[in-house]
Amino acid sequence: MNVTKELLAEMLMKYINREIDLSNLVSWAEDMMRDADFEDGSFELIREIIANIGLADVREFGLTWDDCYDYLHRLGYNVRVELRQVV
């Protein structure tokens, strides 16, 4: 598998939108660190973010909203929160 900035951003959005939980995100990151290739031209950025996500289940590291916002911004995305009323 080739991890692109787009794929990494999609996984972070799945976590933010609660489509996957932290343990699944961490497991995915660990799998990607072990088995995947990273997008040419963004290798260092993707590797750094995935490495940090892979440690997010360790209490001392964690994964905050600010972390996700920063990662997405560095991946080239602006984050905007939209509030929708539950019907």
Side-chain angles (χ1 to χ4, degrees):
M1 174 178 269
N2 188 38
V3 179
T4 63
K5 292 192 300 186
E6 181 180 0
L7 176 60
L8 181 50
E10 287 175 14
M11 292 302 291
L12 284 166
M13 288 305 298
K14 284 182 180 180
Y15 173 68
I16 290 169
N17 288 319
R18 298 182 178 226
E19 295 172 24
I20 60 173
D21 62 13
L22 182 61
S23 65
N24 284 323
L25 182 64
V26 168
S27 178
W28 176 82
E30 290 171 345
D31 290 346
M32 295 304 104
M33 280 299 288
R34 188 176 44 250
D35 300 327
D37 296 319
F38 302 143
E39 179 180 2
D40 290 337
S42 300
F43 178 87
E44 293 293 329
L45 174 62
I46 292 171
R47 185 180 69 169
E48 176 191 340
I49 293 172
I50 287 182
N52 288 338
I53 292 171
L55 294 172
D57 60 346
V58 177
R59 185 180 189 125
E60 289 77 17
F61 295 101
L63 183 63
T64 67
W65 164 247
D66 286 336
D67 295 330
C68 292
Y69 183 94
D70 180 58
Y71 295 154
L72 288 166
H73 187 75
R74 292 173 61 199
L75 291 168
Y77 296 89
N78 284 322
V79 179
R80 183 180 192 131
V81 176
E82 181 178 324
L83 182 65
R84 294 184 182 174
Q85 187 174 18
V86 176
V87 277

